[in-house]
Amino acid sequence: MGNRLQGINMTKTKLQDTPEAKKVLDAEKDKQVIDTLFSERDSYEAATRSKRTEMQTIFDAYQGKMTDKVYPWKSAYFIPKIRTEANYILPFIYSGEPEFELTGVGTEDRMLSKDILEKMANYRLCEIGGFEKIHAWIFQAVVFGTSVAEVCWKFQPEYGIDRPEIEIPSILDVFLNPFIPSIEGQKSVIVKINMSLSEIKATKKFKNTDKVLAKGIASNIYDSSAMQSDIDSPEKLLQDMQTVEVYKRVSKERVQYVADGSERILLSDEENKFGFINFI
């Protein structure tokens, strides 16, 4: 009897090791990641719906978008007024030629002079246009009352890249739990990114790129940036014009990308090498 059970277990193991079984298991894992991401996004979005509506109204007004809606302030001066106030407030917070002051934490930090560390950090920030990005981060906070920046270290030795990176996503494209006041306490932070099919296919860490199809073509097909592609390749031009919403989910454990095109496709699921959610 024992030999028979052992034989059955060995058969099951062999079946699980077949390519077909592996595909099924991989598909189930992908679906679990996708379901988790969009479940969290929907939950975060629902909890901030009224706030998002308010921020969208402010954004439309700031951009000078004209609609048939009668704004509650009923004043055509609101649009220049919000721009004037934001530009008035900002210099009190961030202006001139700022520099970072650093405090050593680890043993390796204490081995170096504080002045040397500060010079290194400020030099790096100047090299990547970091102060301009910090300016955008603070300006967004002044306009909307909140802002988020993604900070990481980009290391690609094959291209000679070894530098810090700062990205400032639109606050309307960021999803997190509004009831948790700090990033450290968040379960995850999700960011929506608009990417063309060409960009998706060119990203080396993405998988399943051949399965990604756009929901539609970009609204302005005569946009100058779209026309810079290889006009001798109609297929490439079409891929440049077609955009897909890609959602990036960052938790303390994982960094995941999912394309939300004609269907939802998992593009990447990697370990978070930082070990923390790298947003501030």
Side-chain angles (χ1 to χ4, degrees):
M1 182 69 177
N3 290 335
R4 185 181 298 174
L5 289 173
Q6 186 177 1
I8 292 171
N9 289 332
M10 288 177 65
T11 302
K12 285 183 178 179
T13 302
K14 288 180 180 178
L15 288 173
Q16 290 173 351
D17 291 338
T18 62
E20 292 77 11
K22 188 175 183 305
K23 285 182 180 179
V24 172
L25 289 173
D26 289 345
E28 289 177 353
K29 290 179 182 178
D30 288 2
K31 185 178 183 303
Q32 186 175 6
V33 171
I34 293 169
D35 289 347
T36 298
L37 188 153
F38 284 100
S39 174
E40 290 178 1
R41 184 207 64 174
D42 293 345
S43 175
Y44 299 158
E45 188 174 26
T48 57
R49 185 164 290 125
S50 59
K51 180 67 176 176
R52 285 179 178 278
T53 301
E54 180 183 341
M55 288 193 294
Q56 184 66 58
T57 303
I58 294 172
F59 179 78
D60 289 345
Y62 187 85
Q63 294 294 320
K65 183 178 179 180
M66 304 302 293
T67 66
D68 295 333
K69 179 180 176 181
V70 178
Y71 292 112
W73 42 85
K74 297 181 180 178
S75 171
Y77 292 103
F78 176 78
I79 294 173
K81 183 180 178 184
I82 191 173
R83 291 177 179 172
T84 301
E85 288 183 349
N87 285 292
Y88 177 78
I89 294 169
L90 187 63
F92 289 93
I93 305 171
Y94 188 85
S95 63
E97 297 180 359
E99 289 189 350
F100 273 88
E101 293 184 0
L102 304 181
T103 301
V105 176
T107 305
E108 69 280 5
D109 296 332
R110 298 190 184 98
M111 292 171 64
L112 293 172
S113 164
K114 179 175 180 291
D115 292 337
I116 294 175
L117 286 173
E118 288 177 354
K119 287 182 182 298
M120 290 169 60
N122 286 293
Y123 170 77
R124 286 288 195 178
L125 284 168
C126 287
E127 286 290 298
I128 64 168
F131 290 108
E132 289 80 3
K133 292 184 178 181
I134 294 170
H135 181 279
W137 174 49
I138 296 172
F139 185 77
Q140 185 169 236
V142 170
V143 174
F144 297 107
T146 185
S147 187
V148 170
E150 181 181 8
V151 184
C152 65
W153 196 275
K154 192 172 184 178
F155 182 63
Q156 294 179 324
E158 65 273 21
Y159 298 109
I161 297 175
D162 183 13
R163 63 172 185 258
E165 286 283 318
I166 303 174
E167 296 296 335
I168 315 299
S170 167
I171 195 63
L172 292 167
D173 294 334
V174 178
F175 303 86
L176 44 75
N177 190 334
F179 303 110
I180 298 176
S182 66
I183 293 292
E184 290 82 1
Q186 294 287 331
K187 180 180 180 181
S188 65
V189 172
I190 297 171
V191 180
K192 182 179 73 174
I193 310 165
N194 287 308
M195 299 181 69
S196 69
L197 284 178
S198 295
E199 290 175 317
I200 292 172
K201 293 181 184 297
T203 305
K204 291 185 177 180
K205 67 179 177 181
F206 285 174
K207 64 177 184 178
N208 300 323
T209 56
D210 57 316
K211 299 179 182 178
V212 180
L213 296 174
K215 291 180 180 178
I217 297 178
S219 58
N220 182 9
I221 63 172
Y222 299 106
D223 180 72
S224 58
S225 60
M227 297 301 289
Q228 291 174 0
S229 62
D230 181 7
I231 59 174
D232 294 328
S233 172
E235 183 180 351
K236 185 178 185 303
L237 180 59
L238 184 60
Q239 288 180 359
D240 285 343
M241 292 189 295
Q242 291 181 319
T243 58
V244 176
E245 290 180 352
V246 175
Y247 287 88
K248 178 182 182 181
R249 178 183 182 270
V250 181
S251 67
K252 293 176 182 177
E253 298 80 22
R254 312 295 295 175
V255 178
Q256 298 152 334
Y257 291 82
V258 175
D260 188 19
S262 58
E263 60 179 306
R264 290 171 175 172
I265 304 292
L266 179 64
L267 298 174
S268 177
D269 180 12
E270 298 178 340
E271 177 188 1
N272 186 344
K273 296 178 181 178
F274 296 111
F276 58 89
I277 298 175
N278 55 309
F279 284 80
I280 55 175

